[in-house]
């Protein structure tokens, strides 16, 4: 069975500092990994994905994520945080081998960027 | 841009009512999903559909059913609403297995 863990309920960072939002996953086949962001009273917006290839993937709004197979992790990063990055972030996994579309989400991490 | 439209932003229903949540996507995606979002629990998959008239249970299907009569429309049905179904409901669609989900803005349902 697939699962995703986001170990931090909340991450606080000062504007201009680097940020990391952590994600670990469990899946029996090859993982398809995704990060989404949610602003208040809105649906989720796609940020980036890892399907195959380079372990470092770049996405929208200057975000990037590093896939680490041995640690089964897919941490979201940004070199310099903005106040406007404050939002709820979700990591998600899909099993790339089973042929299905079931996507499992983590519980979410709330990011606060302080000016 | 893909648009996923959920017909209601806010709904208030009484316990025992039959509730319909509607979702329409405009990009001819075959795959559609219903999630509920609760604080601290993230998104939990209720049902999904690979094609018209096809459906599969997700992780928490109890108390829900779905209908997919047309490719662009995926409806979530609460047969007899209960207070523990008060939640944010999110619809999503995707064209391919290696593509991300496209979400609607959600329907916040309150059952009193």
């Amino acid at each position: 069975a697939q699962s995703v863990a986001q170990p931090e309920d909340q991450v606080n960072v000062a504007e201009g500092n680097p940020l990391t939002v952590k994600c670990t996953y469990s899946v029996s086949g090859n993982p398809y990994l995704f990060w989404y962001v949610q602003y208040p009273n809105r649906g989720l917006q796609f940020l980036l994905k890892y399907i195959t290839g380079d372990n470092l993937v770049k996405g929208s709004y200057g975000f990037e994520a590093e896939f680490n197979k041995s640690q089964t992790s897919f941490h979201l990063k940004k070199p310099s945080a903005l106040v406007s990055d404050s939002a709820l972030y979700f990591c998600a996994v899909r099993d790339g081998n089973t042929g299905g579309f079931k996507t499992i989400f983590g519980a979410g991490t709330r990011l606060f960027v302080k000016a | 841009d893909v648009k996923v439209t959920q017909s209601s932003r806010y709904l208030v229903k009484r316990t025992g009512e039959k509730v319909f949540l509607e979702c329409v996507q405009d990009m001819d995606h075959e795959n559609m999903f219903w999630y509920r979002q609760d604080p601290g629990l993230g998104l939990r998959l209720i049902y999904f559909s690979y094609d018209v008239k096809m459906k599969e249970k997700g992780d928490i299907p109890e108390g829900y059913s779905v209908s997919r009569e047309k490719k662009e429309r995926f409806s979530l049905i609460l047969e007899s609403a209960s207070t523990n179904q008060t939640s944010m409901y999110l619809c999503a669609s995707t064209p391919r297995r290696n593509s991300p989900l496209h979400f609607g803005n959600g329907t916040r349902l309150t059952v009193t």
Side-chain angles (χ1 to χ4, degrees), chain A residues 14 20 24 28 30 38 40-42 51-52 64 67 78 82 85 106-107 112:
Chain A
T20 299
T24 59
S28 56
N30 287 327
Q38 185 180 36
N41 298 315
R42 301 295 299 274
I51 302 298
T52 186
E64 57 191 29
F67 170 64
K78 187 173 183 182
L82 300 172
D85 293 330
F112 285 103

Side-chain angles (χ1 to χ4, degrees), chain B:
Chain B
D1 258 1
V2 177
K3 190 155 187 184
V4 179
T5 303
Q6 295 182 232
S7 55
S8 304
R9 286 288 283 134
Y10 299 95
L11 274 180
V12 180
K13 297 292 182 181
R14 293 197 179 274
T15 302
E17 277 193 79
K18 190 169 187 176
V19 181
F20 293 85
L21 303 183
E22 306 288 348
C23 175
V24 176
Q25 49 94 4
D26 66 358
M27 282 301 289
D28 205 36
H29 289 173
E30 292 183 345
N31 311 288
M32 296 187 74
F33 304 77
W34 276 106
Y35 288 88
R36 64 176 281 176
Q37 180 181 4
D38 300 287
L41 297 177
L43 278 71
R44 292 179 291 167
L45 182 62
I46 305 172
Y47 268 98
F48 56 113
S49 169
Y50 294 135
D51 203 347
V52 175
K53 298 192 187 295
M54 303 293 287
K55 61 185 180 185
E56 287 211 18
K57 294 180 180 179
D59 295 322
I60 52 164
E62 297 79 18
Y64 303 94
S65 62
V66 290
S67 172
R68 187 128 182 242
E69 297 296 320
K70 293 185 177 182
K71 193 173 187 178
E72 67 270 18
R73 186 179 297 270
F74 191 36
S75 303
L76 180 69
I77 304 158
L78 286 66
E79 297 291 342
S80 178
S82 64
T83 55
N84 63 11
Q85 292 178 310
T86 291
S87 186
M88 170 71 91
Y89 290 87
L90 293 167
C91 176
S93 70
T94 190
R96 291 173 296 277
R97 202 152 53 85
N98 62 358
S99 295
L101 295 173
H102 299 266
F103 282 88
N105 281 335
T107 296
R108 187 167 293 281
L109 173 67
T110 302
V111 182
T112 62

